[in-house]
Amino acid sequence: MSTIASNLQAVRAEITSSAALAGRPDDAVHLLAVSKTFPASQLREAYQAGQISFAESYLQEALNKISDTADLPIEWHFIGPVQSNKTRLIAEHFDWVHSVDRLKIAERLSAQRPACFPGLQLCVQVNISGEATKSGVSPCEVSELAHAIVKLPNITLRGLMAVPAPSDEMPVQRAAFQRVRQLYDQLNREGLKLDTLSMGMSHDFRAAIAEGATMVRVGSAIFGNRIYNKG
Ligand SMILES: *Cc1c(COP(=O)(O)O)cnc(C)c1O
């Protein structure tokens, strides 16, 4: 078995055991393979090992891989910062966008989503740890933004996404994810019909699942360590 296939198997087993530990069903957590910086050949390897959903952060790199794997029925997720001048290509090439934190971006994605496509699946990114440099809307503003986005055509608001400040301590990880979960519950009480909590990466997906994550975004635990060569 290839390294990627055996890593995938190990990550899936940990997802299953974390879900069981939290009393959640086996299929409660969807795995996204975060393939940024890795070549299309490695995505193919993961696909052959049963992985269908992939996530990318850098648009140009992603577009190259989407075209290189056009023969595969991959579900594409965009999880990087979205600039206004990138919305058209994102609306035309992705199934999901997890990293929306401004109404203007959601409006552009909505207007630029081709009419013959299914609605673009959206998550609002929340800046849960209050870091000034991080993207994401502040927790106090998430409700207003979500209620505005849900009215847009060609878009389906699915839930919230967060990247908490990194920590090695499970209780610290869980506390941050719990705050995201509470915001999500509050939005559903306000009448939004959200079903997606996109949270948890290689180092903290176990804590995220314990707090209710329905999608985890795992890169290095599947593909190995990333080498960035961006200037
Ligand atoms: C890179 C990235 C991930 C995956 O991180 P790993 O630590 O490699 O699992 C998940 N989410 C976002 C938003 C990312 O940018």
Side-chain angles (χ1 to χ4, degrees), residues 34 36 57 79 161 163 201-203 217-221 226:
V34 179
K36 65 183 182 217
S57 302
I79 60 172
M161 185 273 245
V163 183
M201 310 175 24
S202 294
H203 69 284
R217 308 176 310 270
V218 179
S220 47
R226 282 183 294 275

Side-chain angles (χ1 to χ4, degrees), residues 32-36 38 55-58 79-81 98-99 125 161-163 198 200-205 216-226 228:
L32 299 190
V34 179
S35 44
K36 65 183 182 217
F38 295 101
E56 292 277 340
S57 302
Y58 310 110
I79 60 172
H98 292 237
S99 38
Q125 183 173 357
M161 185 273 245
V163 183
S198 167
M201 310 175 24
S202 294
H203 69 284
D204 58 9
F205 71 82
V216 292
R217 308 176 310 270
V218 179
S220 47
I222 297 170
F223 296 105
N225 288 326
R226 282 183 294 275
Y228 288 95

Side-chain angles (χ1 to χ4, degrees), residues 32-44 53-67 69 74-82 90 93-99 161 217-219 223 226 230:
L32 299 190
V34 179
S35 44
K36 65 183 182 217
T37 79
F38 295 101
S41 58
Q42 297 190 15
L43 274 73
R44 274 182 194 281
S53 304
F54 290 84
E56 292 277 340
S57 302
Y58 310 110
L59 182 60
Q60 194 49 55
E61 181 199 337
L63 293 175
N64 292 338
K65 281 182 245 183
I66 290 172
S67 126
T69 58
I74 287 177
E75 180 183 86
W76 290 102
H77 295 245
F78 193 80
I79 60 172
V82 186
I90 292 173
H93 292 279
F94 285 82
D95 302 295
W96 283 70
V97 183
H98 292 237
S99 38
M161 185 273 245
R217 308 176 310 270
V218 179
F223 296 105
R226 282 183 294 275
K230 307 202 157 275

